[in-house]
DNA sequence: ATATCTGCAAAGACTTTGCATGAGA
DNA sequence: TCTCATGCAAAGTCTTTGCAGATAT
């Protein structure tokens, strides 16, 4: 059953308090930016967005908050090979849901795909279970990316 | 049929010339270091190894050569989240073969696993084929990593 | 009231670049 | 011989840290 979004406090308020963290303007606005996009934002992208509304919030806080959100599991951090990390909401009502990435090694373009996810999911959960057992690892996350040339770059060569 | 390793020029000589690149001491020694380990070496790790034998070779050359080897497909570059890239031979006779990584998010330990690879391989090649078609992408590589807590770190908490 | 959070500036870490010298084919 | 490759030093980028002042609860 879906919750009533848009009324009452946002879904994440509880989680913050549970963990002993405070609810602050920077934290809320960063989550807000992330929850309103499906793009893969860098720390600076987020900084610029947030800065439009709250010009006093600094880049340091963006980094610190992102670290916190990653650690709490709200946000996933990705490396697409261009030297800067990208961040995406990994849970919550507006989340795009389970997806993986297709990364162009020439222009850096990133495509989200959700095709064949069901089958992947099945294999993944099976693999996670088996790996956990065999290596005594508590698996909490996974990363799957395909690399290659996108349509445009492929045709250039 | 296996080639006769250890006699004649190393397997990669031809590939270098084909691509118009020169065979140099730094390039050979870097490939040598990579082909004699199954660890995940950083640029500096490689530098230190190479430096033992050829003290004149600089870190810059390590980075430049690694870039070249990655681009040629000899070497794969990984990011385990500790801020420095790791490199592994991705092909060649001494290669450990197809494997993926299990990364401890607490201590950074990395475990290579090859279990369940057959099934994965099958799904991966199918997925690659389908994604190539749908997104008109020329896929050349993939990355799969699981994150979690290793035995030691799990028990600490 | 007080422990947490933030902003600024500065530092830190890894990686890349410019340029003159050196080396492979 | 003539490009391509290398080493050194310096610069570039992203990210983290120290600390005093501000803020949430």
């Amino acid at each position: 059953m879906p919750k009533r979004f848009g009324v009452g406090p946002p879904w994440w308020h509880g989680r913050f308090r549970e963990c002993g963290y405070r609810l602050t303007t920077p934290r809320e606005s960063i989550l807000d930016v992330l929850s309103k996009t499906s793009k893969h934002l860098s720390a600076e992208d987020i900084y610029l967005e947030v800065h439009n509304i709250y010009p006093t919030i600094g880049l340091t806080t963006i980094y610190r908050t992102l670290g916190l959100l990653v650690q709490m599991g709200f946000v996933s951090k990705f490396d697409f090979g261009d030297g800067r990390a990208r961040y995406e909401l990994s849970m919550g009502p507006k989340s795009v849901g389970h997806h993986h990435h297709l990364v162009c090694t020439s222009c850096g373009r990133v495509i989200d795909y959700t095709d064949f996810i069901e089958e992947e999911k099945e294999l993944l959960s099976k693999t996670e279970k088996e790996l956990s057992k065999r290596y005594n690892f508590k698996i909490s996350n996974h990363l799957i990316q395909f690399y290659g040339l996108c349509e445009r770059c492929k045709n250039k060569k």
Side-chain angles (χ1 to χ4, degrees), chain A:
Chain A
M1 185 193 333
K3 278 194 171 180
R4 298 164 305 140
F5 299 128
V7 300
W11 57 274
W12 60 71
H13 281 197
R15 289 290 303 274
F16 266 92
R17 274 195 266 267
E18 282 166 29
C19 299
Y21 299 125
R22 292 179 178 169
L23 277 165
T24 64
T25 306
R27 288 172 183 178
E28 297 235 57
S29 56
I30 289 169
L31 275 167
D32 195 50
V33 166
L34 286 170
S35 63
K36 282 180 175 145
T37 187
S38 61
K39 292 181 194 154
H40 315 97
L41 302 179
S42 67
E44 189 170 5
D45 293 334
I46 296 167
Y47 169 70
L48 293 173
E49 283 281 329
V50 167
H51 201 261
N52 281 336
I53 304 171
Y54 301 101
T56 61
I57 295 175
L59 186 54
T60 303
T61 299
I62 308 291
Y63 277 108
R64 275 193 286 230
T65 302
L66 286 171
L68 188 71
L69 295 173
V70 167
Q71 183 230 302
M72 292 175 82
F74 286 177
V75 166
S76 300
K77 182 178 180 180
F78 294 95
D79 167 47
F80 296 140
D82 66 347
R84 72 187 60 189
R86 306 307 173 110
Y87 302 85
E88 270 182 47
L89 215 57
S90 56
M91 53 184 294
K94 297 268 180 67
S95 158
V96 256
H98 195 86
H99 68 276
H100 296 144
H101 297 125
L102 216 51
V103 182
C104 178
T105 50
S106 175
C107 70
R109 192 149 69 109
V110 177
I111 294 175
D112 293 5
Y113 73 89
T114 52
D115 317 273
F116 330 114
I117 280 293
E118 281 313 316
E119 215 169 337
E120 269 187 16
K121 254 182 175 164
E122 212 172 298
L123 178 62
L124 281 173
S125 78
K126 182 181 157 193
T127 305
E128 287 192 11
K129 214 169 292 172
E130 300 272 10
L131 287 174
S132 296
K133 206 188 304 173
R134 177 176 304 233
Y135 296 104
N136 211 350
F137 230 84
K138 182 177 174 341
I139 293 176
S140 53
N141 210 349
H142 64 250
L143 172 70
I144 296 192
Q145 287 175 188
F146 288 91
Y147 297 95
L149 295 175
C150 71
E151 184 165 10
R152 233 174 302 160
C153 295
K154 193 174 59 175
N155 295 330
K156 270 185 202 159
K157 315 230 155 169

